[in-house]
Amino acid sequence: MAQVTIEVDDAQLAELSRAFDGRDAQELAVLFAGLATTEHLNWITGRARHRSLTEEHLSRIQHIYEVMIPETEAPSFNRLYNSFNLPHGQAMYLARALGDMTLRHWRRQAIVDLLADLKRVEAQAQQRQEQQEGDKGINIRTSKMGALELSRMCDAEFKLDRNFIGVTPKGGVGDQRVVELAADSIFTIIGKLEAEVVDA
């Protein structure tokens, strides 16, 4: 393997760092150079011939996610719109398309993240139960996909137990969602999620 030195001016390094949450610009430049080399080589050799500009964007962004973004971060409108400066409509479409392409992976990640989000309010839920207020709701912050998984699990639980108190959406911005779930229900869902995580 050959080692190649490239020169990147300070302004470009600053832009690169800004686009990736202030991470070390030198490290980012090395990763970015590898991405650029791979992309152009794929085009020159004919390994990649995209049929449309949208397909090219999808491929490019997918590779950026694979190489430069933490593996726990799902493709999101916020990243594409705010960090990569894509137009609003295009950012929404590409985030949805990328999410659909890797849905199975991100559903698994959403379940793991949701479990962690519920564990954060577990002590509060325990306190409610001790006060005989297990049917009282507790606000939970989770991701958009985490909220979808929570809704799915609550629907399934309600089919088994008509007394089960399901989730109530409270709103959200971007990828963040706030939902309300009864203390008793929190423990039920934690148990189900732990089983899913073990089986995954």
Side-chain angles (χ1 to χ4, degrees):
M1 180 183 290
Q3 288 192 333
V4 179
T5 302
I6 62 168
E7 290 187 5
V8 182
D9 65 43
D10 291 341
Q12 288 176 315
L13 283 174
E15 287 175 349
L16 199 54
S17 181
R18 246 190 327 271
F20 293 94
D21 310 319
R23 285 169 53 197
D24 180 69
Q26 299 283 345
E27 177 192 343
L28 289 169
V30 171
L31 295 172
F32 204 67
L35 266 178
T37 301
T38 299
E39 180 170 328
H40 284 82
L41 194 58
N42 284 344
W43 182 78
I44 289 169
T45 59
R47 283 195 292 265
R49 285 285 185 264
H50 303 294
R51 293 165 295 180
S52 68
L53 192 57
T54 298
E55 191 178 90
E56 184 177 24
H57 283 329
L58 280 169
S59 175
R60 180 175 292 157
I61 295 167
Q62 187 175 10
H63 289 143
I64 288 173
Y65 265 92
E66 289 170 356
V67 173
M68 303 188 70
I69 293 176
E71 62 180 17
T72 53
E73 182 183 328
S76 69
F77 164 79
N78 283 342
R79 171 71 72 180
L80 301 184
Y81 182 70
N82 294 322
S83 299
F84 298 167
N85 298 298
L86 289 174
H88 186 276
Q90 192 176 39
M92 288 187 69
Y93 169 75
L94 290 173
R96 188 172 65 249
L98 284 167
D100 288 347
M101 287 165 61
T102 54
L103 183 60
R104 187 175 177 185
H105 169 78
W106 293 118
R107 283 193 68 182
R108 281 198 305 269
Q109 186 63 49
I111 287 168
V112 170
D113 292 343
L114 176 61
L115 178 58
D117 295 333
L118 291 176
K119 288 280 192 180
R120 275 194 286 275
V121 299
E122 192 173 19
Q124 189 180 349
Q126 181 70 48
Q127 191 176 36
R128 288 279 172 88
Q129 284 189 328
E130 290 168 358
Q131 296 168 348
Q132 306 301 312
E133 295 181 341
D135 60 340
K136 297 290 176 64
I138 294 173
N139 283 345
I140 301 154
R141 291 185 184 277
T142 190
S143 66
K144 181 179 178 181
M145 204 151 194
L148 287 171
E149 290 299 320
L150 180 57
S151 179
R152 170 185 68 83
M153 298 189 80
C154 286
D155 285 347
E157 194 60 29
F158 180 70
K159 289 175 183 175
L160 299 173
D161 177 7
R162 290 292 176 176
N163 294 315
F164 179 81
I165 303 172
V167 65
T168 302
K170 291 292 186 178
V173 176
D175 191 49
Q176 182 183 163
R177 293 292 181 272
V178 178
V179 299
E180 183 181 274
L181 191 62
D184 290 340
S185 300
I186 286 172
F187 287 104
T188 301
I189 297 300
I190 285 176
K192 301 283 186 180
L193 285 169
E194 287 176 335
E196 287 202 21
V197 169
V198 168
D199 292 341

